[in-house]
Amino acid sequence: MPDIKVTPLGAGQDVGRSCILVSIGGKNIMLDCGMHMGYNDDRRFPDFSYITQNGRLTEFLDCVIISHFHLDHCGALPYMSEMVGYDGPIYMTHPTKAICPILLEDFRKITVDKKGETNFFTSQMIKDCMKKVVPLNLHQTVQVKLVGDYNMTPDRHLGAAWIDKCRPDLLISESTYATTIRDSKRCRERDFLKKVHETVERGGKVLIPVFALGRAQELCILLETFWERMNLKAPIYFSTGLTEKANHYYKLFITWTNQKIRKTFVQRNMFEFKHIKAFDRSYADNPGPMVVFATPGMLHAGQSLLIFKKWAGNEKNMVIMPGYCVQGTVGHKILNGQKKLEMEGRATLDVKLQVEYMSFSAHADAKGIMQLIRMAEPRNMLLVHGEAKKMEFLKDKIEQEFSISCYMPANGETTSIVTNPSVPVDISLNLLKREMALGGPLPDAKRPRTMHGTLIMKDNSLRLVSPEQALKELGLSEHQLRFTCRVQLHDPHSDNDTLGRIYTHLKSVLKTYSIQHVPDGTVIVESIVIKVTSSAEEPNLKVILLSWSYQDEELGSFLSTLLKKGLPS
């Protein structure tokens, strides 16, 4: 019988650089491709030498699936695709595709531009990598097993994780908090607000290291509501320049948030904060109390580390770590009680401020992991993304409670799981009649034959039907998606003359593209159509209409920006 082989290239008995290789049915799938925040050398990336000693990964991998945009799950993507070499598809959701390149570029700036490190991916490599991404829609069904981080408790901005009773042969789960059972969310929130309030009341400063998206918005909504209710005046700042973009993407993907946020969004946007303002680095030296959200979340680099260095010597101040910190980071050291830190240049930093850990992590605790197993009812379990001793404890608990095999391979270690691939599929009568009309042999259980159709998965059942029936049942029709954009510019010439000037201008700028000036009054660049009309009220005001297909989205955006700058005189 065929088996499933699983080899962690990262996150095997370790937290960080999630990268799990799954071989199933003759296909090799990479689940996540993250980086480790605790290392500054080659150990920050997954060890691809387990796959190939020299050469590209394209020949070996069939696809890459990214669970979400956190850097420990996607941070090594450009390194893997552009430096090691991979040209195949990379699957991720639309929000992850939108946010992932922003976080990658931000981390590249910190690592290369500020720290001067080499052997790191470039901005162009990030762009080239993202061209290989195939985005997935909300509620689109994809036959993959869970591997990314998840949380069984709903947030203020996102719903809880859930999964159908799909009874997979193998469920792969993160196990960051394998031995932790957190207290109620409400108790944690109350404790967090109490600590922040007490610190600002005594004139201290509160630093909350976060990553730009996720816990940041969760805690911002919490503090914004509290500040409004208590009428507090101490300033709250968010340090990262990513805040505006983060806000933009939360608005853009509002359908991915929880029901309360969606309902509230009709009246007001909960991500536009009244009390939380943009931070300037000079504010860190201001006297008096303040609260600052700063990136990144583990105090390993960037603005959060700079502010921590300035505030660490004052016992009135406080740092609240709201999430997990990997070994090697400053966050991990201070959470383990270290009071003297050796910084760059062998300088020593005395830690006198109060250090608090309040878990608002996106990871499931032990109770949540067990809840997921009850939901899915897997035949086998495999743990990744956790510390070895804690994973061992959870492994024993899973095997005892569910009477299933549980595995926890180390990096480079392969686990093989024997499976029974029998999958029942119902075949529509119309499809059978069509096959019979083609003159094939009668159906015979002892003599399998190939049938072609559209496979529909619904309510945990599979049906094979004709493409026409599938389109009819699902209410689908073929269509083309095009983007349009209007650009206004002042030009005293006629519409045709303006269009001719646009054609000449584009020919001089886009020398490698096919550009046509069509007699019907349009200019065509690839799939992009450009038309010119005059404003009825103001003849010298020209309205340029651009329309392009999804495939030429980047070129269409470039042309609209170019034409907004006007035409050469």
Side-chain angles (χ1 to χ4, degrees):
M1 288 190 291
D3 56 7
I4 301 172
K5 292 183 177 179
V6 182
T7 309
L9 309 182
Q13 300 181 12
D14 187 22
V15 177
R17 60 174 183 179
S18 272
C19 189
I20 314 300
L21 181 66
V22 177
S23 300
I24 179 170
K27 302 292 183 184
N28 295 314
I29 303 163
M30 183 181 286
L31 305 176
D32 283 337
C33 188
M35 69 165 57
H36 199 296
M37 300 299 178
Y39 297 119
N40 293 322
D41 51 26
D42 287 345
R43 290 175 296 171
R44 61 156 64 103
F45 297 125
D47 192 347
F48 300 113
S49 67
Y50 291 122
I51 300 178
T52 175
Q53 293 296 326
N54 48 13
R56 298 167 61 78
L57 298 174
T58 308
E59 290 70 34
F60 184 81
L61 286 177
D62 291 283
C63 75
V64 175
I65 300 169
I66 302 298
S67 59
H68 62 296
F69 53 70
H70 286 167
L71 290 176
D72 60 335
H73 292 261
C74 73
L77 257 184
Y79 174 81
M80 185 273 295
S81 69
E82 308 310 309
M83 297 176 76
V84 179
Y86 171 71
D87 297 322
I90 301 169
Y91 296 100
M92 58 180 72
T93 62
H94 284 280
T96 297
K97 185 191 176 186
I99 295 161
C100 180
I102 299 169
L103 298 185
L104 287 169
E105 176 59 22
D106 187 59
F107 193 73
R108 187 206 65 80
K109 284 179 182 175
I110 292 171
T111 306
V112 178
D113 296 351
K114 293 184 180 178
K115 290 187 174 180
E117 290 188 30
T118 56
N119 193 30
F120 210 77
F121 49 78
T122 64
S123 296
Q124 187 58 48
M125 287 178 183
I126 296 173
K127 293 174 185 173
D128 292 340
C129 171
M130 297 312 293
K131 288 176 185 174
K132 298 167 185 174
V133 169
V134 180
L136 302 176
N137 295 313
L138 189 65
H139 300 309
Q140 182 176 347
T141 300
V142 180
Q143 286 285 79
V144 296
K145 304 296 182 280
L146 183 65
V147 65
D149 302 333
Y150 60 92
N151 197 339
M152 305 305 289
T153 307
D155 291 335
R156 288 173 177 264
H157 65 309
L158 297 174
W162 63 271
I163 191 168
D164 286 331
K165 200 177 288 295
C166 52
R167 298 182 178 89
D169 289 302
L170 174 64
L171 177 65
I172 304 174
S173 171
E174 61 119 340
S175 52
T176 315
Y177 291 108
T179 58
T180 304
I181 297 179
R182 289 194 286 249
D183 53 4
S184 77
K185 192 86 180 289
R186 187 163 290 184
C187 288
R188 274 178 281 148
E189 290 179 346
R190 194 163 53 237
D191 195 25
F192 170 77
L193 294 171
K194 182 171 180 281
K195 290 278 194 290
V196 172
H197 192 197
E198 286 174 353
T199 304
V200 296
E201 284 294 292
R202 66 169 179 263
K205 297 174 170 62
V206 180
L207 171 63
I208 307 170
V210 290
F211 289 100
L213 291 149
R215 281 330 85 194
Q217 280 66 37
E218 163 94 348
L219 296 176
C220 280
I221 292 171
L222 185 60
L223 274 188
E224 173 81 5
T225 309
F226 184 71
W227 245 240
E228 185 74 21
R229 189 172 77 241
M230 300 295 289
N231 195 27
L232 299 177
K233 303 301 179 188
I236 307 175
Y237 298 112
F238 203 129
S239 80
T240 177
L242 294 175
T243 317
E244 190 176 330
K245 286 184 178 177
N247 198 20
H248 167 72
Y249 285 116
Y250 270 104
K251 284 190 278 186
L252 186 62
F253 297 111
I254 195 71
T255 53
W256 295 67
T257 58
N258 66 28
Q259 190 175 2
K260 183 181 177 183
I261 292 284
R262 291 199 300 271
K263 286 176 70 176
T264 309
F265 194 77
V266 178
Q267 286 84 35
R268 69 180 184 91
N269 176 12
M270 283 189 77
F271 299 111
E272 287 176 355
F273 303 113
K274 173 182 170 185
H275 298 280
I276 302 171
K277 308 297 181 188
F279 181 77
D280 184 278
R281 64 179 57 193
S282 63
Y283 296 173
D285 299 316
N286 287 356
M290 69 176 74
V291 179
V292 176
F293 290 94
T295 59
M298 298 186 190
L299 288 176
H300 57 279
Q303 190 76 267
S304 62
L305 184 57
L306 291 174
I307 297 169
F308 175 78
K309 288 177 184 176
K310 288 192 174 189
W311 294 358
N314 190 335
E315 60 274 4
K316 285 204 306 186
N317 298 335
M318 178 180 288
V319 59
I320 298 176
M321 307 300 295
Y324 186 88
C325 294
V326 300
Q327 198 165 352
T329 60
V330 170
H332 185 271
K333 290 172 184 174
I334 62 172
L335 285 176
N336 281 279
Q338 209 166 314
K339 293 298 182 185
K340 286 188 181 292
L341 301 174
E342 190 175 303
M343 311 306 286
E344 291 176 8
R346 297 204 170 181
T348 301
L349 180 68
D350 289 326
V351 180
K352 295 180 180 177
L353 86 177
Q354 296 181 58
V355 178
E356 294 285 346
Y357 175 68
M358 298 181 188
S359 177
F360 287 92
S361 173
H363 300 275
D365 60 4
K367 184 179 174 183
I369 295 168
M370 301 298 272
Q371 186 182 340
L372 187 80
I373 298 170
R374 283 189 201 95
M375 280 184 179
E377 291 189 2
R379 296 179 182 89
N380 296 276
M381 192 73 195
L382 189 142
L383 301 176
V384 295
H385 202 281
E387 298 170 22
K389 287 183 180 177
K390 295 178 180 179
M391 292 170 89
E392 189 72 53
F393 175 85
L394 182 61
K395 174 181 177 294
D396 292 342
K397 188 172 176 62
I398 290 168
E399 290 180 335
Q400 287 171 15
E401 186 161 333
F402 298 103
S403 300
I404 60 175
S405 296
C406 183
Y407 307 90
M408 44 172 285
N411 289 332
E413 181 185 337
T414 299
T415 295
S416 294
I417 293 152
V418 177
T419 67
N420 183 355
S422 175
V423 179
V425 176
D426 294 328
I427 301 175
S428 74
L429 186 60
N430 287 340
L431 191 61
L432 278 173
K433 285 179 178 179
R434 176 186 290 186
E435 288 290 319
M436 295 301 297
L438 294 173
L442 290 171
D444 185 348
K446 295 179 180 178
R447 299 177 64 187
R449 59 181 285 190
T450 303
M451 293 193 69
H452 298 277
T454 303
L455 196 64
I456 296 180
M457 180 187 294
K458 190 176 181 182
D459 300 328
N460 285 330
S461 65
L462 293 168
R463 285 190 304 127
L464 193 68
V465 301
S466 65
E468 296 81 11
Q469 185 178 341
L471 286 171
K472 187 177 178 181
E473 283 188 20
L474 300 173
L476 299 175
S477 58
E478 290 181 290
H479 61 276
Q480 268 199 338
L481 179 67
R482 292 186 69 85
F483 295 87
T484 59
C485 174
R486 294 175 187 272
V487 176
Q488 293 184 342
L489 60 83
H490 288 276
D491 192 341
H493 300 86
S494 68
D495 292 355
N496 281 337
D497 286 346
T498 302
L499 190 66
R501 295 178 67 218
I502 290 172
Y503 171 73
T504 306
H505 183 40
L506 295 185
K507 287 282 282 186
S508 66
V509 175
L510 304 173
K511 293 189 168 106
T512 59
Y513 287 82
S514 169
I515 305 172
Q516 303 172 58
H517 191 170
V518 185
D520 68 354
T522 59
V523 167
I524 297 175
V525 185
E526 301 295 332
S527 74
I528 300 165
V529 178
I530 303 171
K531 293 184 178 181
V532 175
T533 59
S534 296
S535 168
E537 296 80 21
E538 192 176 347
N540 287 347
L541 181 65
K542 307 296 181 188
V543 178
I544 305 171
L545 177 69
L546 294 95
S547 170
W548 62 85
S549 67
Y550 177 77
Q551 289 84 353
D552 287 325
E553 183 183 1
E554 192 168 336
L555 180 60
S557 299
F558 170 78
L559 289 181
S560 66
T561 304
L562 179 70
L563 292 174
K564 282 175 185 175
K565 295 176 182 175
L567 299 173
S569 55

